[in-house]
Every structure is written in structure tokens, then in C-alpha cells.
Amino acid sequence: MKTDSGAPISPVSMRGFLRADGRKGIRNVIAVAYLVECAHHVAREIAWPFRDQDVHLIGFPGCYPNGYAQRMMEALCTHPNVGAVLLLSLGCESFDKYGLAHVIRQSGRPVETVVIQASGGTRASIAEGQAWVRAQLPVLAAQEPVPMGVEELIVGTVCGGSDGTSGITGNPAAGRAFDQLVGEGAACIFEETGELIGCEHIMASRAVTPELGVILEESVAKAARYYATLGYGSFAAGNADGGLSTIEEKSMGAYAKSGSSPIAGLIKPGDRPPRGGLYLLDVVPDGEVRFGFPNINDTAEIAELIACGSHAVLFVTGRGSVVGSAISPVVKICANPETYRRMADDMDVDAGRILAGEATLDEVGREIRDLVVSLGHGRRTKSEELGHREFVLTYKSFEPIGPACLPAA
């Protein structure tokens, strides 16, 4: 694997953007964040002229307060891939814009808040916001990158549009990449507890402590109860059309993304892994079912992985998916060789070569690992090149994790 300039990649000398808290980002993004749906249009218009630059639109549409959303926005706006933040407020929403701005400012990042009701409305707010972004771009461009090692990476994984090939090629190949990255000291996060039903006992046997094993099993049991209450599981018509028959069968494929490393802890959205190792992200809300489906689409899960610090996210698909994400690059791993032939322009890795006997799981796993490292040298993923910056944030509720969730912290 080489950089875009043709130079060979060193596994320990990526380049990163150093933040005040000591973390390093592989991107230097300006986040334009709306704090209520009423400010979405203004925020989008501010970001649009800079769409070919690293100015990304994120936001929370709700008008009513939610601790989860507040925590998510704080984590996202202080993500190591983010260098500056512009907040867009209508003015009368319940979101704590002053608290969010304080957290961002305390992180050492430039932050500005535009309140539409106080700034003169749509046109005046757009002009004010665009002027601020325009002034920040050369400041971030002048920031010199510093050396960054693989052990400083956090990498997430998710699968979407799964079919009968996903659990044979793409997911286990992502798992092999995770094993390599964990072995080099990186932190890796897998999730989708609603798609681990049937695998909980196998997963628990990999926990670093018996107490953590119990917690892993309980997280899957919670997901099963949640979906039973909803009357709908994490199994779509497209999964069946692609050859999957049951949630347990889908779960086995989803579980393969975790690889074979010991599981070092369980975290929830907004929690960061305290050190390298493998972590399960519990995405199903705590308590009674209140806010509908735990994740309304794959993009919401990607946002939660990023809120946990993921510099990049591995996305495995069999049927085909085109989504990317704001803030952190998404690596598309295509499990199905036929899908890859149809959608090669959207895919970074052809894991379907494994089915054709053209590559082994280990070889594709190494390719994925090397591609992740190359992102730290400036390489862009297909979704980045195509301008995909999807983002979704809804209402949820979580209780804090206990010490048994992170026994090695």
C-alpha cells in the first residue's frame, strides 16, 4: 500500500492533527451544527458553498431537550477529526447551546454561535456564518500535522444491506482487520446488539472478566426485549431477498465483524475506549421503549461510533450501500462480487474476491487494515470522493456505564 504520492506507508508514521487534549485527528473538519430543525436550512446554506472542502453539516432536529443528544453533540463537536465548530441556533429551542459552546471552547477549538432570531433572520445569518467559516479555513489549512501511530487510532465497524455473502466474506474480513489493528494497539469498536441475538454466549466467553461477560449477555437480552416490544426485529426484507433466513443467521454474520480478540469492555454512545483493545458499543436505549427504533438507519449507528471517537468506520455491505458520513471517513467493504461489479464506484474493498478464490480472508483483512492506515496519510475513501456526508441524530436515553464495563480502564 502506498500514499497518493506513491511513497510507501509506514505503519507507525501516519500524520495527524494534534488537539489540546492530546488526541490526534486524521481529518481537520469544520463542523457546521444546527441545534434544532428550524435552523437546518440556514446551516445547510452556510456549508453548501464549501462542499468541496472539509466543511461538514451535522445537527439535532429536536426542539425538546435530551441528554443523549446533548452528549452526542458534545462528543462529535470535540472529535479529534474536528478543528472548528459553527453552531446554528434559532434561539428559542431547548438545546443548551451555551453549554455546548463552552465544552467546545474548553477543548481548545474555535467556536462561534449564530442565533438566527438575534442575527436578523435567514439571509443575515447565512452571511454571518459563511464569513466565519471562510475566515477559519486558512487557519486550519496552516495547521501542521504531527506524527501519529496506529496505536492512536479508534476504528468502528457496522454492516448494512447484508445478504448471504456478508457473513462469509466482508464481515469476517473486517474482523481480521480488527485483529490486526488491536494487535498494533488500536481501539476497535463493534456494535449492533440487536444483531447479536443468538451469539451472546459465544461473545461473553471472550470477555476479559466474567463480570464483563455477564454485562455483554445482558446487553443482547435488552436488545431482544426492546425489539420484541416493538414487534419488529433488526431484519429487513432486503436481508431475506439476499438469502438470509433468520435473525440468528444474520447475527452470526454481524458477529464475525468483531474478529477474535478478547473483548476489553462495553461502552455506550459518547463513551470513548480508555485504551487499545476491542469494545462492544451498546446502541439500544436503557429503560422502557420510548423513542421507537433504536437506530432508524445505518447512518445513526455510524454517528454513534464516531461519537465514541472513531477516526474511521468500516462499513460492510452485501446488497450495496452508498452512505458515508460527516466528520469521519467510511470505508466500504463489499461482500458480494456481483454487487461490487455493479457498484464498484462506491466501494473501497472487493471482499467478494474471497468467494471467487482470488484472495483469502487474511489477505483482504490486511488490505482493509492498510487502507485504514492510508487514511492517516491523506487518502480519501470513495464516499468522501463522492461527497457523502450523511448524518442522523435522534432521541434516546442511556444510563451511565459502571466500572465492570471497563475492567482494564
Side-chain angles (χ1 to χ4, degrees):
M1 185 71 68
K2 296 182 178 181
T3 63
D4 290 340
S5 65
I9 287 177
S10 166
V12 294
S13 61
M14 297 183 295
R15 61 103 179 97
F17 298 97
L18 181 62
R19 309 305 178 193
D21 63 2
R23 294 189 294 164
K24 299 169 187 173
I26 63 171
R27 297 291 183 264
N28 209 11
V29 168
I30 295 178
V32 177
Y34 58 91
L35 306 182
V36 65
E37 185 62 25
C38 304
H40 191 164
H41 172 76
V42 170
R44 183 173 56 244
E45 289 296 303
I46 290 170
W48 180 250
F50 310 102
R51 61 192 177 277
D52 293 329
Q53 302 172 69
D54 272 336
V55 178
H56 295 195
L57 179 66
I58 65 173
F60 176 60
C63 191
Y64 297 99
N66 180 248
Y68 158 81
Q70 186 83 27
R71 188 172 190 227
M72 283 282 292
M73 289 296 286
E74 290 176 2
L76 291 162
C77 290
T78 59
H79 188 281
N81 285 354
V82 173
V85 184
L86 176 67
L87 302 178
L88 271 297
S89 162
L90 176 62
C92 55
E93 71 279 350
S94 297
F95 199 101
D96 182 6
K97 55 182 173 287
Y98 302 112
L100 177 58
H102 175 74
V103 168
I104 298 167
R105 193 171 295 110
Q106 289 293 106
S107 77
R109 291 166 174 79
V111 59
E112 181 69 21
T113 303
V114 174
V115 181
I116 297 168
Q117 291 171 343
S119 294
T122 298
R123 286 192 176 90
S125 298
I126 292 171
E128 182 181 347
Q130 288 180 350
W132 189 85
V133 170
R134 196 173 291 111
Q136 292 301 316
L137 284 169
V139 177
L140 295 191
Q143 186 175 352
E144 289 291 333
V146 300
M148 178 177 177
V150 176
E151 73 280 359
E152 298 178 85
L153 282 173
I154 301 177
V155 183
T157 187
V158 64
C159 56
S162 300
D163 69 5
T165 68
S166 297
I168 301 171
T169 63
N171 286 339
R176 300 293 173 94
F178 262 23
D179 288 341
Q180 294 173 46
L181 289 164
V182 168
E184 295 175 80
C188 293
I189 308 170
F190 71 109
E191 45 85 65
E192 295 173 294
T193 45
E195 294 180 8
L196 293 171
I197 296 169
C199 299
E200 58 267 35
H201 305 303
I202 308 169
M203 180 171 62
S205 69
R206 294 167 54 196
V208 294
T209 66
E211 293 79 11
L212 176 60
V214 171
I215 290 170
L216 297 177
E217 291 183 348
E218 289 175 344
S219 72
V220 178
K222 179 182 67 169
R225 291 193 302 271
Y226 199 102
Y227 281 109
T229 302
L230 291 173
Y232 187 87
S234 185
F235 192 92
N239 299 143
D241 290 342
L244 294 172
S245 62
T246 62
I247 184 60
E248 288 83 3
E249 187 177 25
K250 185 180 181 183
S251 293
M252 290 299 290
Y255 175 68
K257 297 196 308 298
S258 67
S260 60
S261 301
I263 299 175
L266 176 141
I267 57 177
K268 297 181 182 182
D271 294 327
R272 293 203 306 265
R275 60 177 65 183
L278 179 66
Y279 298 84
L280 172 65
L281 173 60
D282 181 2
V283 300
V284 175
D286 294 324
E288 299 299 319
V289 176
R290 298 174 58 198
F291 301 117
F293 294 112
N295 286 95
I296 61 174
N297 56 45
D298 297 321
T299 303
E301 294 170 307
I302 294 172
E304 290 177 329
L305 287 165
I306 295 172
C308 293
S310 296
H311 293 89
V313 176
L314 309 181
F315 190 125
V316 181
T317 182
R319 299 300 304 277
S321 172
V322 299
V323 301
S325 179
I327 297 179
S328 294
V330 172
V331 176
K332 283 295 180 48
I333 303 165
C334 189
N336 190 316
E338 295 180 1
T339 303
Y340 184 85
R341 282 192 286 271
R342 291 194 306 270
M343 302 182 66
D345 195 44
D346 284 274
M347 303 298 160
D348 296 287
V349 177
D350 177 13
R353 300 183 348 257
I354 297 165
L355 281 182
E358 297 170 357
T360 66
L361 277 173
D362 285 335
E363 288 170 342
V364 176
R366 170 61 64 174
E367 179 184 346
I368 295 167
R369 176 266 174 207
D370 288 349
L371 198 159
V372 169
V373 174
S374 75
L375 300 177
H377 292 265
R379 178 173 175 171
R380 294 271 166 170
T381 65
K382 292 289 186 69
S383 65
E384 286 182 291
E385 291 173 349
L386 292 166
H388 281 286
R389 291 174 183 171
E390 287 82 355
F391 183 85
V392 171
L393 180 58
T394 58
Y395 284 92
K396 281 189 179 183
S397 179
F398 287 96
E399 297 296 326
I401 60 174
C405 293
L406 296 173

